[in-house]
Amino acid sequence: MSLWKIALRSIQQRVLASALTAFSMSLGVALVVAVLVIYGVVDQSFRRSAQGFHLVVGAPGSRLELVLSTVFHIGKAPAPMSYDVYDELKRGRLGNSVKFAVPICMGDMYQGCRVVGTTSELFGDLTYSDDNRAYEFSAGRNIQDGEYFEAVLGSIAAQKSGKKIGDTLRTTHSGTSGMERQEAFTVVGILKPTGTPVDKGVFVNVEGFWRSHASALDAAAAEAARARAAKEEADRVMGVTQESESTTTTELSDKDLMIGLEATPTEETPTAGAASAAEANDADLLPRERKRITAIFLLLQDGTESSIPLLQRELQTMGVQAVSPVEEVSQLFTGLIGNLQVILLILAVLVVVVAGIGILVSIYNSMNERRREIAIMRALGAQRKTVMLIILLESILLALGGGALGLVAGHGLTWAISPIIAEQTGVMVDAFMFQQGELYLIPGLVLLASIVGLLPAAVAYKTDVAQSLIASP
Amino acid sequence: MLQIRDLTKSFPQPDGTPLHILDIPEFSVGVAEQCVLVGRSGCGKTTLLHIIAGIGRPTSGKVKIDGWDIALMEESEVDQFRAERIGYVYQTFNLLPGFTAIENVMLGMTFGRDRADKKRAANLLERVGLSHRLTHRPTQLSVGEQQRVAVARALANRPKLILADEPTANVDVGHQQQIVDLIRDTCHEEKISLIMVTHAPDVAKQFERIEYLEQINHAGRAQ
């Protein structure tokens, strides 16, 4: 009979006390696991989303906000930039160093999901994750640049909206108005899950995005014109002079811009020169001054550490900033979130230590009634170190049993809250993905159990066999 | 098998003076010999058995078993020696309550040289008439059955010497003879030396050799 079995029998003999002790240990371990898994998965998801392109170009402001809003769909969309920046990166001098420049326009919502105006390049030419995975479609296809009112849904967005290929959707303005756009987009593709915020995005053709905004502007302008005409008529009838005409126009212009893309940039970006010939020839496209862009994802020809700062400086002279998402995410996780994780881990480890002390108390309290059992084993030939080892094994079994329960509970807890995390952040938490930190749990628990088991083990070691056998009935 | 020479055992009293329990100039038991030790309560019978088993240490003297002086051995060596060569049957059975009958017998093997052998444990229980009680816990057994499990456990490591400390004291009259017969017969068949402590005259008179502790223990005389 192995010593493990003897220790197990001893635990079984005090099943309630042992179960409660193991349960308290499981709570601590579950907390540690939940913190590790959630942090690990979120970290991985963020880093995965930040891959696939080198830079995000946006209006000046907070670098982190730019990355969070455009890459992770968290927070308010930043102020838009002039179309000229995109044009310069696409067709101008800077275009030589750029492999792909993908426009990102934000400002609309659909059923709680961010609507992103973009081009087919986002899913056709860019990748995600550190192993450069290509976006795949579970149904349908990518948007086509010539088809202005096409949409592609992320996997969660599709599930949430219930939209299928061929269905239409109307986006709404994300401002206070909640106004529904006139133009409907047809769903042409649904993406496979990526485990990134893309999953909960609605991606529409950028040209359609601009048009839907432009028509809203036009409708607002027409409404303003009607109001102005009515006012003029009223003034004429009442003999009042029309002094406020220019003021009304100015107000309308401001309102238009606000409706168009949330806000005007605080500093207008410089014009990058003449529009390209290709665009000029396309009479069907909106004029460039009616197009505004929230951000541009850049995949460079040469993404080396030396070339990126050069481009960043060039773009800075154009009044915009170019941010490395990997760098920002890295800083975010090593800084604020990393520290938060450390604090949470310390708290969780403290719970585990308290549970470990619970094991000590439980076994130590049982030692009085177990003196006879220990004496019997000694009388049967067990050495002092053997009975000491049996007590230590009992402590280890309790810790490992609680730990195993805690592992299951921790992953179960993560699984239970993963829909909430996905809903709030778009991060798909694979609750059953094991983290490297969990590997340290087992030796950690064995070490803790060995330490807390030492005191009762020492009591067992010192047990006087003859006296205990005589004293027991 | 057992030779005791000039064995003394004393315990310190609260006033610092020693309380002499045992003073045995000479005592021996031969191979496969069966000896019953008779004595009044408190005369040191259990203490003597503990010293022979190596559970207690003598104050002085030699205790040779199978040629080995256990008084000179390290404690861990005595433990090992006890596990392999001595079987002990207690008045209070001393079965572990959390273990089944067969596990209690296997526990006796665990600390010996050989690995615990489930088949042998089952055979031993069958031999003491408990083949139908292998997986019962002590609380599910009658006192007679419990003592039979204890006998099987004492035989587990094929000992050379069995020490039985009033094995029938807690057993009802109807089962006392069964226990005595079981121990005697088994020791006879296995050629195991036996020292049985009792103060039941009916039990004592069944043995060829009866030793009265008061006669061999001079400490009692000194008091």
Side-chain angles (χ1 to χ4, degrees):
Chain A
M1 184 182 285
S2 69
L3 299 186
W4 286 103
K5 192 166 183 182
I6 296 171
L8 185 65
R9 281 281 180 274
S10 179
I11 290 172
Q12 287 172 335
Q13 221 177 315
R14 296 173 297 108
V15 68
L16 183 63
S18 301
L20 288 174
T21 310
F23 179 68
S24 67
M25 177 59 78
S26 75
L27 287 180
V29 173
L31 279 177
V32 173
V33 169
V35 170
L36 285 173
V37 171
I38 292 172
Y39 177 84
V41 171
V42 170
D43 176 63
Q44 191 190 49
S45 174
F46 265 68
R47 289 180 200 279
R48 180 186 285 179
S49 308
Q51 307 282 338
F53 46 91
H54 296 107
L55 293 170
V56 180
V57 180
S62 162
R63 297 159 68 89
L64 182 61
E65 265 182 34
L66 174 65
V67 172
L68 287 179
S69 62
T70 58
V71 181
F72 301 103
H73 302 183
I74 296 170
K76 197 174 173 229
M81 303 177 291
S82 160
Y83 181 85
D84 294 339
V85 178
Y86 174 63
D87 201 41
E88 171 63 24
L89 287 163
K90 195 78 180 167
R91 303 175 186 91
R93 183 176 54 86
L94 295 178
N96 293 333
S97 57
V98 174
K99 195 170 181 183
F100 292 107
V102 182
I104 298 294
C105 294
M106 302 178 95
D108 281 2
M109 301 290 284
Y110 180 70
Q111 293 193 3
C113 299
R114 289 271 177 127
V115 174
V116 179
T118 187
T119 61
S120 61
E121 292 162 306
L122 180 63
F123 302 125
D125 298 315
L126 297 190
T127 57
Y128 69 99
S129 186
D130 48 3
D131 53 356
N132 290 321
R133 292 184 203 172
Y135 289 96
E136 292 179 299
F137 289 84
S138 61
R141 57 168 174 79
N142 198 354
I143 50 176
Q144 288 178 352
D145 293 336
E147 300 293 333
Y148 299 155
F149 292 98
E150 288 187 344
V152 161
L153 306 181
S155 58
I156 295 177
Q159 196 180 12
K160 202 170 160 184
S161 65
K163 293 289 181 188
K164 296 184 289 294
I165 303 297
D167 289 350
T168 57
L169 56 88
R170 284 176 202 279
T171 64
T172 56
H173 183 255
S174 64
T176 50
S177 69
M179 183 179 69
E180 196 174 77
R181 306 286 182 199
Q182 283 182 344
E183 291 75 10
F185 289 89
T186 304
V187 177
V188 297
I190 294 169
L191 288 162
K192 282 185 179 175
T194 61
T196 72
V198 164
D199 292 345
K200 59 178 296 194
V202 172
F203 301 88
V204 300
N205 186 307
V206 70
E207 198 67 35
F209 184 91
W210 283 323
R211 275 160 194 268
S212 66
H213 280 250
S215 64
L217 290 179
D218 293 343
E223 179 62 30
R226 273 196 299 278
R228 193 166 60 238
K231 187 172 185 295
E232 283 171 5
E233 180 61 21
D235 289 348
R236 192 180 58 75
V237 169
M238 293 178 73
V240 180
T241 54
Q242 300 174 7
E243 288 178 352
S244 60
E245 187 177 341
S246 60
T247 310
T248 311
T249 309
T250 308
E251 284 171 359
L252 175 63
S253 173
D254 288 346
K255 188 183 171 191
D256 285 353
L257 290 174
M258 290 301 287
I259 292 171
L261 276 168
E262 315 292 357
T264 53
T266 49
E267 191 179 328
E268 189 63 58
T269 51
T271 304
S276 72
E279 190 184 329
N281 292 339
D282 192 347
D284 200 25
L285 295 175
L286 275 178
R288 56 193 300 120
E289 57 273 12
R290 302 198 71 175
K291 299 174 182 178
R292 288 187 172 277
I293 294 173
T294 310
I296 303 162
F297 291 172
L298 290 185
L299 180 66
L300 306 181
Q301 297 282 6
D302 172 19
T304 56
E305 282 184 17
S306 56
S307 64
I308 290 176
L310 282 175
L311 186 64
Q312 282 176 315
R313 274 197 293 276
E314 290 271 8
L315 286 164
Q316 212 169 0
T317 62
M318 294 174 69
V320 293
Q321 62 175 340
V323 179
S324 163
V326 174
E327 209 172 281
E328 289 303 312
V329 166
S330 201
Q331 280 177 10
L332 179 68
F333 273 79
T334 51
L336 179 70
I337 297 178
N339 290 337
L340 192 65
Q341 190 218 16
V342 169
I343 291 168
L344 287 173
L345 269 181
I346 289 172
L347 287 175
V349 167
L350 279 178
V351 176
V352 172
V353 171
V354 170
I357 293 168
I359 291 179
L360 185 159
V361 172
S362 168
I363 300 179
Y364 187 80
N365 282 344
S366 73
M367 289 313 288
N368 259 341
E369 62 200 58
R370 293 172 60 189
R371 245 176 247 279
R372 182 169 169 243
E373 288 177 29
I374 291 162
I376 293 169
M377 284 193 272
R378 291 290 321 279
L380 289 172
Q383 297 179 7
R384 283 186 193 275
K385 62 182 181 189
T386 308
V387 291
M388 189 175 178
L389 187 60
I390 289 170
I391 300 296
L392 284 177
L393 291 180
E394 187 179 329
S395 176
I396 290 169
L397 276 178
L398 279 174
L400 287 181
L405 193 66
L407 273 173
V408 174
H411 284 282
L413 178 72
T414 314
W415 174 78
I417 63 172
S418 60
I420 301 167
I421 295 173
E423 172 73 25
Q424 296 295 318
T425 66
V427 173
M428 299 280 284
V429 176
D430 180 359
F432 297 100
M433 192 171 77
F434 280 79
Q435 300 298 312
Q436 201 180 357
E438 290 178 68
L439 291 175
Y440 300 114
L441 270 174
I442 295 168
L445 286 175
V446 171
L447 181 68
L448 175 68
S450 303
I451 292 169
V452 299
L454 273 178
L455 183 61
V459 173
Y461 185 89
K462 287 181 181 171
T463 298
D464 185 318
V465 184
Q467 206 170 28
S468 301
L469 286 174
I470 292 166
S472 348
Chain B
M1 168 54 59
L2 170 71
Q3 290 101 35
I4 289 175
R5 193 175 295 272
D6 300 327
L7 173 74
T8 65
K9 178 69 181 177
S10 55
F11 293 101
Q13 296 184 98
D15 63 0
T17 57
L19 172 64
H20 300 288
I21 301 292
L22 296 173
D23 180 4
I24 303 174
E26 190 162 357
F27 174 68
S28 61
V29 176
V31 174
E33 189 181 4
Q34 299 189 353
C35 168
V36 67
L37 265 180
V38 181
R40 58 177 171 77
S41 293
C43 70
K45 300 187 296 287
T46 300
T47 305
L48 175 61
L49 290 192
H50 278 177
I51 288 172
I52 295 171
I55 292 169
R57 306 289 267 184
T59 305
S60 63
K62 289 183 176 179
V63 181
K64 274 193 172 179
I65 300 171
D66 202 19
W68 297 84
D69 187 350
I70 62 168
L72 298 178
M73 288 181 183
E74 293 289 322
E75 187 186 58
S76 59
E77 291 171 332
V78 176
D79 291 334
Q80 191 70 29
F81 188 86
R82 179 169 61 247
E84 289 165 8
R85 301 184 196 216
I86 299 172
Y88 207 129
V89 181
Y90 300 88
Q91 179 182 339
T92 50
F93 324 134
N94 280 345
L95 300 178
L96 290 184
F99 293 70
T100 62
I102 194 164
E103 285 171 347
N104 264 289
V105 177
M106 288 168 70
L107 193 68
M109 302 174 182
T110 302
F111 309 115
R113 191 187 302 121
D114 301 325
R115 288 189 58 181
D117 183 348
K118 196 172 183 178
K119 196 174 172 186
R120 174 166 164 76
N123 286 341
L124 285 168
L125 284 171
E126 190 180 349
R127 186 170 179 177
V128 298
L130 290 176
S131 57
H132 59 303
R133 298 286 201 201
L134 300 185
T135 55
H136 287 63
R137 290 178 192 277
T139 50
Q140 298 167 315
L141 300 172
S142 70
V143 286
E145 288 172 328
Q146 286 182 52
Q147 192 58 299
R148 280 192 273 166
V149 174
V151 172
R153 186 180 63 185
L155 293 167
N157 286 331
R158 297 184 179 87
K160 303 256 169 115
L161 173 66
I162 281 192
L163 305 171
D165 190 359
E166 300 192 44
T168 58
N170 283 334
V171 180
D172 56 274
V173 179
H175 288 99
Q176 282 180 352
Q177 191 56 48
Q178 276 184 17
I179 297 298
V180 173
D181 290 344
L182 177 66
I183 294 172
R184 285 187 62 190
D185 296 348
T186 310
C187 288
H188 183 71
E189 287 164 22
E190 302 268 334
K191 294 186 171 41
I192 300 169
S193 305
L194 171 67
I195 300 173
M196 183 186 286
V197 166
T198 184
H199 44 210
D202 291 347
V203 173
K205 69 183 181 188
Q206 297 178 39
F207 289 80
E208 286 179 10
R209 182 178 171 192
I210 302 173
E211 294 285 354
Y212 293 90
L213 195 57
E214 286 88 345
Q215 290 177 4
I216 60 170
N217 182 12
H218 295 185
R221 289 179 201 169
Q223 285 178 330

